[in-house]
Amino acid sequence: MNVYDSEQILQRLQTIGYRQCDSPDKADLIVLNTCAIREKAEQKVYSFLGRQAKRKQHRPELLVAVGGCVAQQEGGRLLERIPHLDLVFGTHAVGRLAGHVERIRKNGGRIVDVDMDGGRAIFDGLEPLEAPAGPSRFVTIMQGCDNFCTYCVVPYVRGREVSRPPSQILSEIRVLVGSGVREVTLLGQNVNSYGAKEGYGSFADLLKKVSGIDGLARIRFTTSHPKDLSDELIDCFAALDRLCRHIHLPVQSGSDRVLKRMNRRYRRADYLDKVGRLRSVCPDIGITSDFIVGFPGESDEDFADTIDLMRSVQFDGVFAFQYSDRPSAPASGFAGKIDETVKKRRLAELLDLQETITLCKNRALVGSVQQVMAEGPSKKNYFQETNRTALWTGRTPQNRIVHFALDTPTPGEGMMAPGTILNVRIEEAFSHSLRGIPELERPNQHGRKGVDSHAA
Ligand code: SAH
Ligand code: SF4
């Protein structure tokens, strides 16, 4: 989500002549887009901003701005705390950013804008980047959240849930596809409740419309709230070819007692039931999840329920976090805070278990052929690079990362274009990735066999 927001910030600044540069030392304007979801992320904001003081001493004309959730949460307090800060713009102020920067450039002074208009205006002027980097892009379909999980800051810093009109979403995707994008990820805090308030039709309806866009090869979405995961949406995994067979379905805890105190509004059995339905409709679906360990009052028994749920679901991957107090979220006032060492131990146990599960699932794929969308040259080098072999990286529909060797002179050159979908035979499995060899036949004038540009 933050990647998308950062792109939007860049886009707005480009309208007043700014360009992205490769080092803060060369910048005339430094914009920090922030996240307040966990305490650690927030601490990083203050240390980064602290470091800008020196830069500004050397170059007083440099402007420093802070946007995103921490800006929304702290507002004017940030200006008080950080004397060299020029601009604080909240989560609903991105559309007004360029105007604020121009005003400060012209008249000097400092500005705080944390107004939350709360309406659809938040989507006005959202536009795809002029030159998309790579074949895969995020597209926002809603903002804010109405769920009020008791640990979470999002409803306070992002505001109430608002869905973006389908016509805007579809036209943004068409523009993206026109500029070479082959995969989109539809973004929202809870995409399953898309359009409910506005009467836009269901999220499944939106998916059906998006999957009718010519030239789009793959569709993904995130995030899904288990309580709103409908049978209609589950059926899309069987019905829509271009919908990637992956769902990120955060469960947070395997204990009913904890889920209740988190205000998640589903029980462990409901979650397991939905997982069962997903797998019966789409047996090879990849299921990933989020967990919080050490929520206030989480007993050893509650945590054992979480471990038990992980064992029974066998997730394809998880993100897990130690609970941290967010001052505006109700759980910060809950009794039964868990010791940091206990949280750390629980997190390590959970991640260890998942590592074993993922490795085992990845090993089961050795010898299989996976459809991989090539994203670009790989950062990792599992192969001995020769002047004839380049290492690329891509993803399967289930969102597994695959590294594969390509017979091209230089990464990025030759026959291969990012966004190509190719069949890769898996030869080796690791806990976070797979490695394989593309099954390519010799190219001819019709292109390559074994390269499928449509199926997910
Ligand atoms: N809207 C998404 C998640 C958004 S936040 C959803 O409902 O699933 C991403 C993840 O951060 C959450 O799933 C949760 O696991 C974690 N998280 C949120 N608040 C947290 C907190 N106070 N402490 C630790 N982890 C937190
Ligand atoms: Fe936060 Fe819950 Fe909303 Fe997700 S659904 S953003 S965890 S309040």
Side-chain angles (χ1 to χ4, degrees), residues 287-309:
I287 303 181
T288 54
S289 198
D290 289 350
F291 287 87
I292 295 177
V293 298
F295 186 74
E298 184 189 66
S299 64
D300 285 343
E301 212 181 357
D302 293 322
F303 180 65
D305 285 346
T306 296
I307 291 291
D308 183 69
L309 178 130

Side-chain angles (χ1 to χ4, degrees), residues 37-38 151 189 223 250 252 264 290-292 321-324 326:
I37 199 84
R38 285 171 292 275
Y151 50 81
Q189 294 296 347
T223 296
Q252 314 297 359
R264 289 292 286 179
D290 289 350
F291 287 87
I292 295 177
F321 313 99
Q322 296 182 43
Y323 167 81
S324 67
R326 304 288 61 223

Side-chain angles (χ1 to χ4, degrees), residues 49-276:
L49 288 176
R51 290 198 300 274
Q52 306 318 307
K54 248 201 185 140
R55 272 204 182 98
K56 189 126 179 169
Q57 256 171 15
H58 292 305
R59 292 181 48 220
E61 72 283 5
L62 172 71
L63 293 187
V64 182
V66 180
C69 295
V70 176
Q72 187 65 47
Q73 179 183 278
E74 298 300 315
R77 284 195 295 264
L78 275 173
L79 286 192
E80 283 165 27
R81 193 165 160 180
I82 300 154
H84 53 278
L85 188 59
D86 300 287
L87 170 62
V88 177
F89 63 102
T91 53
H92 289 225
V94 177
R96 300 183 288 272
L97 171 63
H100 293 326
V101 170
E102 284 193 309
R103 223 159 293 135
I104 298 174
R105 282 261 173 250
K106 205 161 146 218
N107 309 325
R110 309 167 85 197
I111 294 177
V112 179
D113 178 357
V114 287
D115 292 348
M116 283 210 182
D117 28 46
R120 256 183 272 159
I122 194 168
F123 301 117
D124 291 349
L126 277 195
E127 273 174 37
L129 276 196
E130 281 153 14
S136 183
R137 303 292 294 180
F138 294 114
V139 173
T140 205
I141 65 163
M142 56 212 296
Q143 286 277 5
C145 184
D146 287 348
N147 286 310
F148 292 94
C149 302
T150 53
Y151 50 81
C152 185
V153 75
V154 169
Y156 308 97
V157 293
R158 294 256 162 194
R160 291 295 74 72
E161 183 181 291
V162 198
S163 294
R164 192 175 177 199
S167 55
Q168 264 191 31
I169 297 168
L170 295 172
S171 67
E172 177 169 343
I173 298 173
R174 282 196 197 98
V175 172
L176 287 171
V177 170
S179 57
V181 166
R182 311 224 53 223
E183 173 183 274
V184 290
T185 303
L186 308 179
L187 276 184
Q189 294 296 347
N190 175 16
V191 293
N192 301 358
S193 62
Y194 171 81
K197 289 206 280 200
E198 292 81 0
Y200 291 152
S202 66
F203 178 57
D205 291 336
L206 179 71
L207 279 180
K208 286 171 197 161
K209 287 182 192 141
V210 173
S211 78
I213 294 178
D214 275 347
L216 186 63
R218 284 182 167 188
I219 306 162
R220 300 182 183 278
F221 60 84
T222 194
T223 296
S224 289
H225 195 305
K227 78 175 163 56
D228 296 315
L229 177 61
S230 64
D231 286 347
E232 191 197 10
L233 180 54
I234 293 176
D235 289 339
C236 286
F237 284 107
L240 304 178
D241 285 352
R242 295 171 181 188
L243 181 62
C244 285
R245 300 186 294 279
H246 169 233
I247 188 163
H248 185 62
L249 195 61
V251 61
Q252 314 297 359
S253 168
S255 151
D256 280 340
R257 212 178 63 92
V258 174
L259 288 172
K260 188 149 202 275
R261 283 159 57 81
M262 286 178 164
N263 191 32
R264 289 292 286 179
R265 288 178 281 167
Y266 53 82
R267 296 168 66 88
R268 169 195 174 93
D270 305 324
Y271 187 89
L272 292 173
D273 181 54
K274 298 217 171 171
V275 166

Side-chain angles (χ1 to χ4, degrees), residues 417-428:
T420 306
I421 294 177
L422 63 166
N423 292 329
V424 176
R425 184 167 295 278
I426 304 303
E427 296 202 320
E428 213 176 336

